[in-house]
Amino acid sequence: MLIVPMVAYHDHTEHDVDVIATEQGIADIRGITPKEREKAIIENCVHPDFKKAIWDYCNGAGEKNRQHTYTT
């Protein structure tokens, strides 16, 4: 599995996924908010070489009409 900052299209909801496992670690995202999921996935599953780029992207999400929604 490869964690990337953005894809052109995906066809599933956050309710379809409970746990994400990669070679970097495991993120249990059951029962947490989207922002908490974001943190759990990035900190536990993203390769260290890409964490900064993905955090930079996520921190800018919502700006410049990137069409992401987050609930705090």
Side-chain angles (χ1 to χ4, degrees):
M1 173 181 277
L2 179 63
I3 306 291
V4 297
M6 184 174 172
V7 295
Y9 175 79
H10 69 86
D11 190 17
H12 70 84
T13 69
E14 69 274 10
H15 305 291
D16 293 336
V17 179
D18 291 330
V19 177
I20 297 174
T22 69
E23 66 279 1
Q24 302 303 317
I26 298 171
D28 184 346
I29 58 173
R30 293 175 282 192
I32 59 177
T33 69
K35 286 301 269 184
E36 292 169 329
R37 288 183 192 132
E38 172 186 75
K39 182 176 185 214
I41 293 167
I42 294 170
E43 291 302 317
N44 296 310
C45 296
V46 173
H47 189 281
D49 291 350
F50 300 102
K51 278 186 185 182
K52 182 183 180 328
I54 292 179
W55 271 125
D56 288 347
Y57 179 86
C58 290
N59 289 332
E63 297 173 12
K64 300 179 185 175
N65 195 25
R66 291 198 178 142
Q67 301 178 5
H68 288 269
T69 58
Y70 289 104
T71 304
T72 56

